[in-house]
Short mmCIF file of all heavy atoms in Angstrom, two decimals:
data_model
loop_
_atom_site.label_atom_id
_atom_site.label_comp_id
_atom_site.label_asym_id
_atom_site.label_seq_id
_atom_site.Cartn_x
_atom_site.Cartn_y
_atom_site.Cartn_z
N ALA A 294 0.84 -1.21 0.00
CA ALA A 294 0.00 0.00 0.00
C ALA A 294 0.87 1.26 0.00
O ALA A 294 0.58 2.24 -0.69
CB ALA A 294 -0.92 -0.02 1.21
N LYS A 295 1.96 1.20 0.79
CA LYS A 295 2.86 2.36 0.89
C LYS A 295 3.56 2.63 -0.45
O LYS A 295 3.73 3.78 -0.85
CB LYS A 295 3.91 2.09 1.97
CG LYS A 295 4.47 3.34 2.58
CD LYS A 295 5.27 3.02 3.83
CE LYS A 295 4.36 2.74 5.00
NZ LYS A 295 5.08 2.19 6.15
N ARG A 296 3.95 1.53 -1.13
CA ARG A 296 4.59 1.68 -2.44
C ARG A 296 3.68 2.40 -3.42
O ARG A 296 4.11 3.25 -4.19
CB ARG A 296 4.98 0.31 -3.00
CG ARG A 296 6.34 -0.17 -2.55
CD ARG A 296 6.94 -1.20 -3.50
NE ARG A 296 6.08 -2.35 -3.67
CZ ARG A 296 6.05 -3.41 -2.87
NH1 ARG A 296 6.84 -3.45 -1.81
NH2 ARG A 296 5.24 -4.42 -3.10
N LYS A 297 2.38 2.04 -3.38
CA LYS A 297 1.40 2.70 -4.26
C LYS A 297 1.34 4.20 -3.97
O LYS A 297 1.34 5.03 -4.88
CB LYS A 297 0.01 2.08 -4.06
CG LYS A 297 -0.20 0.78 -4.81
CD LYS A 297 -1.63 0.31 -4.66
CE LYS A 297 -1.85 -1.00 -5.42
NZ LYS A 297 -3.24 -1.50 -5.22
N VAL A 298 1.31 4.54 -2.67
CA VAL A 298 1.26 5.96 -2.26
C VAL A 298 2.51 6.69 -2.76
O VAL A 298 2.42 7.80 -3.30
CB VAL A 298 1.14 6.07 -0.72
CG1 VAL A 298 1.31 7.51 -0.25
CG2 VAL A 298 -0.21 5.53 -0.24
N ILE A 299 3.68 6.06 -2.57
CA ILE A 299 4.95 6.67 -2.97
C ILE A 299 4.99 6.90 -4.48
O ILE A 299 5.40 7.97 -4.95
CB ILE A 299 6.13 5.79 -2.49
CG1 ILE A 299 6.30 5.93 -0.97
CG2 ILE A 299 7.42 6.18 -3.20
CD1 ILE A 299 7.23 4.92 -0.35
N PHE A 300 4.54 5.90 -5.27
CA PHE A 300 4.53 6.04 -6.73
C PHE A 300 3.60 7.17 -7.17
O PHE A 300 3.95 7.95 -8.06
CB PHE A 300 4.11 4.72 -7.40
CG PHE A 300 5.23 3.73 -7.52
CD1 PHE A 300 5.10 2.44 -7.03
CD2 PHE A 300 6.42 4.07 -8.14
CE1 PHE A 300 6.14 1.53 -7.12
CE2 PHE A 300 7.47 3.16 -8.25
CZ PHE A 300 7.33 1.89 -7.73
N LYS A 301 2.42 7.24 -6.54
CA LYS A 301 1.47 8.31 -6.89
C LYS A 301 2.05 9.68 -6.57
O LYS A 301 1.90 10.63 -7.35
CB LYS A 301 0.16 8.10 -6.12
CG LYS A 301 -0.75 7.07 -6.77
CD LYS A 301 -2.07 6.96 -6.06
CE LYS A 301 -2.98 5.91 -6.73
NZ LYS A 301 -4.22 5.71 -5.97
N ARG A 302 2.71 9.77 -5.41
CA ARG A 302 3.33 11.05 -5.04
C ARG A 302 4.42 11.44 -6.03
O ARG A 302 4.51 12.60 -6.45
CB ARG A 302 3.95 10.94 -3.64
CG ARG A 302 2.93 11.05 -2.53
CD ARG A 302 3.65 11.16 -1.22
NE ARG A 302 2.72 11.25 -0.11
CZ ARG A 302 3.05 11.52 1.13
NH1 ARG A 302 4.32 11.76 1.42
NH2 ARG A 302 2.17 11.57 2.09
N ALA A 303 5.26 10.47 -6.38
CA ALA A 303 6.35 10.73 -7.33
C ALA A 303 5.78 11.22 -8.66
O ALA A 303 6.31 12.17 -9.26
CB ALA A 303 7.18 9.47 -7.54
N GLU A 304 4.69 10.60 -9.13
CA GLU A 304 4.05 11.02 -10.38
C GLU A 304 3.54 12.46 -10.28
O GLU A 304 3.73 13.27 -11.19
CB GLU A 304 2.87 10.10 -10.71
CG GLU A 304 3.30 8.78 -11.34
CD GLU A 304 2.11 7.86 -11.61
OE1 GLU A 304 0.96 8.26 -11.36
OE2 GLU A 304 2.35 6.73 -12.08
N SER A 305 2.91 12.77 -9.13
CA SER A 305 2.37 14.14 -8.96
C SER A 305 3.50 15.16 -8.92
O SER A 305 3.36 16.28 -9.44
CB SER A 305 1.53 14.22 -7.68
OG SER A 305 2.34 14.10 -6.53
N TYR A 306 4.65 14.78 -8.31
CA TYR A 306 5.79 15.70 -8.26
C TYR A 306 6.34 15.96 -9.67
O TYR A 306 6.66 17.10 -10.02
CB TYR A 306 6.91 15.13 -7.38
CG TYR A 306 6.56 15.02 -5.91
CD1 TYR A 306 7.15 14.05 -5.10
CD2 TYR A 306 5.65 15.89 -5.33
CE1 TYR A 306 6.82 13.94 -3.75
CE2 TYR A 306 5.32 15.79 -3.98
CZ TYR A 306 5.91 14.82 -3.20
OH TYR A 306 5.59 14.72 -1.87
N VAL A 307 6.43 14.89 -10.47
CA VAL A 307 6.94 15.04 -11.84
C VAL A 307 6.03 15.99 -12.63
O VAL A 307 6.51 16.89 -13.34
CB VAL A 307 7.04 13.66 -12.54
CG1 VAL A 307 7.30 13.83 -14.03
CG2 VAL A 307 8.15 12.83 -11.92
N LYS A 308 4.72 15.80 -12.48
CA LYS A 308 3.76 16.69 -13.17
C LYS A 308 3.94 18.13 -12.71
O LYS A 308 3.90 19.07 -13.52
CB LYS A 308 2.32 16.23 -12.88
CG LYS A 308 1.91 15.00 -13.68
CD LYS A 308 0.51 14.56 -13.30
CE LYS A 308 0.14 13.25 -14.01
NZ LYS A 308 -1.14 12.71 -13.50
N GLU A 309 4.13 18.31 -11.41
CA GLU A 309 4.30 19.65 -10.84
C GLU A 309 5.55 20.32 -11.41
O GLU A 309 5.53 21.49 -11.82
CB GLU A 309 4.41 19.54 -9.32
CG GLU A 309 4.47 20.87 -8.60
CD GLU A 309 4.73 20.72 -7.11
OE1 GLU A 309 4.21 19.75 -6.50
OE2 GLU A 309 5.46 21.56 -6.56
N TYR A 310 6.68 19.56 -11.45
CA TYR A 310 7.94 20.10 -11.98
C TYR A 310 7.80 20.49 -13.45
O TYR A 310 8.27 21.54 -13.88
CB TYR A 310 9.08 19.09 -11.81
CG TYR A 310 9.38 18.68 -10.39
CD1 TYR A 310 9.74 17.36 -10.09
CD2 TYR A 310 9.29 19.58 -9.33
CE1 TYR A 310 10.02 16.96 -8.78
CE2 TYR A 310 9.56 19.19 -8.03
CZ TYR A 310 9.92 17.88 -7.76
OH TYR A 310 10.19 17.48 -6.47
N LEU A 311 7.15 19.60 -14.24
CA LEU A 311 6.98 19.86 -15.67
C LEU A 311 6.10 21.08 -15.91
O LEU A 311 6.39 21.91 -16.78
CB LEU A 311 6.38 18.64 -16.37
CG LEU A 311 7.32 17.45 -16.59
CD1 LEU A 311 6.55 16.24 -17.10
CD2 LEU A 311 8.44 17.80 -17.56
N ALA A 312 5.01 21.19 -15.11
CA ALA A 312 4.10 22.34 -15.25
C ALA A 312 4.84 23.64 -14.94
O ALA A 312 4.66 24.65 -15.66
CB ALA A 312 2.92 22.16 -14.30
N LYS A 313 5.68 23.60 -13.91
CA LYS A 313 6.45 24.80 -13.53
C LYS A 313 7.42 25.20 -14.65
O LYS A 313 7.55 26.39 -14.99
CB LYS A 313 7.23 24.51 -12.25
CG LYS A 313 7.88 25.73 -11.62
CD LYS A 313 8.66 25.36 -10.39
CE LYS A 313 9.43 26.56 -9.85
NZ LYS A 313 10.32 26.20 -8.73
N GLU A 314 8.08 24.19 -15.24
CA GLU A 314 9.04 24.43 -16.32
C GLU A 314 8.34 25.02 -17.54
O GLU A 314 8.82 26.00 -18.14
CB GLU A 314 9.70 23.09 -16.69
CG GLU A 314 11.07 23.24 -17.32
CD GLU A 314 11.74 21.90 -17.54
OE1 GLU A 314 11.77 21.07 -16.61
OE2 GLU A 314 12.19 21.67 -18.67
N LYS A 315 7.18 24.43 -17.90
CA LYS A 315 6.43 24.91 -19.07
C LYS A 315 5.93 26.34 -18.84
O LYS A 315 5.94 27.16 -19.75
CB LYS A 315 5.25 23.98 -19.34
CG LYS A 315 5.64 22.68 -20.02
CD LYS A 315 4.44 21.78 -20.22
CE LYS A 315 4.84 20.46 -20.86
NZ LYS A 315 3.67 19.53 -20.95
N ASP A 316 5.50 26.61 -17.62
CA ASP A 316 4.99 27.94 -17.28
C ASP A 316 6.09 28.99 -17.42
O ASP A 316 5.84 30.09 -17.93
CB ASP A 316 4.46 27.91 -15.84
CG ASP A 316 3.47 29.03 -15.58
OD1 ASP A 316 2.64 29.30 -16.48
OD2 ASP A 316 3.52 29.64 -14.49
N GLU A 317 7.29 28.62 -17.00
CA GLU A 317 8.42 29.55 -17.11
C GLU A 317 8.76 29.83 -18.57
O GLU A 317 9.03 30.98 -18.95
CB GLU A 317 9.64 28.96 -16.38
CG GLU A 317 10.62 30.03 -15.95
CD GLU A 317 11.49 29.60 -14.78
OE1 GLU A 317 10.96 29.16 -13.75
OE2 GLU A 317 12.71 29.69 -14.94
N ILE A 318 8.75 28.77 -19.38
CA ILE A 318 9.03 28.93 -20.82
C ILE A 318 7.97 29.83 -21.47
O ILE A 318 8.29 30.72 -22.26
CB ILE A 318 9.07 27.54 -21.52
CG1 ILE A 318 10.32 26.77 -21.07
CG2 ILE A 318 9.08 27.69 -23.04
CD1 ILE A 318 10.30 25.30 -21.41
N ARG A 319 6.70 29.61 -21.08
CA ARG A 319 5.60 30.41 -21.63
C ARG A 319 5.76 31.89 -21.28
O ARG A 319 5.60 32.77 -22.14
CB ARG A 319 4.27 29.88 -21.08
CG ARG A 319 3.03 30.60 -21.60
CD ARG A 319 1.77 30.05 -20.95
NE ARG A 319 1.77 30.20 -19.51
CZ ARG A 319 1.53 31.35 -18.88
NH1 ARG A 319 1.28 32.46 -19.55
NH2 ARG A 319 1.54 31.40 -17.55
N LEU A 320 6.11 32.16 -20.02
CA LEU A 320 6.29 33.54 -19.58
C LEU A 320 7.46 34.22 -20.30
O LEU A 320 7.39 35.39 -20.66
CB LEU A 320 6.51 33.58 -18.06
CG LEU A 320 5.28 33.26 -17.20
CD1 LEU A 320 5.69 33.04 -15.76
CD2 LEU A 320 4.24 34.36 -17.29
N LYS A 321 8.55 33.45 -20.52
CA LYS A 321 9.71 34.00 -21.24
C LYS A 321 9.34 34.38 -22.67
O LYS A 321 9.70 35.44 -23.18
CB LYS A 321 10.85 32.97 -21.26
CG LYS A 321 11.67 32.93 -19.99
CD LYS A 321 12.77 31.89 -20.11
CE LYS A 321 13.55 31.76 -18.80
NZ LYS A 321 14.54 30.68 -18.85
N ARG A 322 8.58 33.48 -23.33
CA ARG A 322 8.17 33.73 -24.72
C ARG A 322 7.23 34.93 -24.81
O ARG A 322 7.33 35.75 -25.72
CB ARG A 322 7.48 32.48 -25.28
CG ARG A 322 8.47 31.38 -25.63
CD ARG A 322 7.76 30.12 -26.07
NE ARG A 322 8.71 29.07 -26.42
CZ ARG A 322 8.37 27.80 -26.61
NH1 ARG A 322 7.11 27.41 -26.47
NH2 ARG A 322 9.29 26.90 -26.94
N ALA A 323 6.30 35.00 -23.84
CA ALA A 323 5.34 36.12 -23.83
C ALA A 323 6.07 37.45 -23.63
O ALA A 323 5.75 38.45 -24.30
CB ALA A 323 4.31 35.91 -22.71
N ALA A 324 7.07 37.45 -22.75
CA ALA A 324 7.85 38.67 -22.49
C ALA A 324 8.64 39.07 -23.74
O ALA A 324 8.68 40.25 -24.11
CB ALA A 324 8.78 38.45 -21.31
N ARG A 325 9.23 38.06 -24.40
CA ARG A 325 10.02 38.34 -25.61
C ARG A 325 9.12 38.89 -26.73
O ARG A 325 9.50 39.80 -27.46
CB ARG A 325 10.73 37.06 -26.07
CG ARG A 325 11.94 37.35 -26.97
CD ARG A 325 12.62 36.09 -27.46
NE ARG A 325 13.06 35.25 -26.36
CZ ARG A 325 12.75 33.95 -26.25
NH1 ARG A 325 11.97 33.36 -27.14
NH2 ARG A 325 13.20 33.24 -25.25
N ALA A 326 7.92 38.31 -26.84
CA ALA A 326 6.99 38.73 -27.90
C ALA A 326 6.53 40.17 -27.69
O ALA A 326 6.33 40.91 -28.67
CB ALA A 326 5.79 37.79 -27.93
#
């Protein structure tokens, strides 16, 4: 059960990191435009 919780958390962290990275790229492009 704990392994399932850990895997789900790891997945949510990866999504969070990717969303943050994409958001930063979007803001940079908007500023440049």
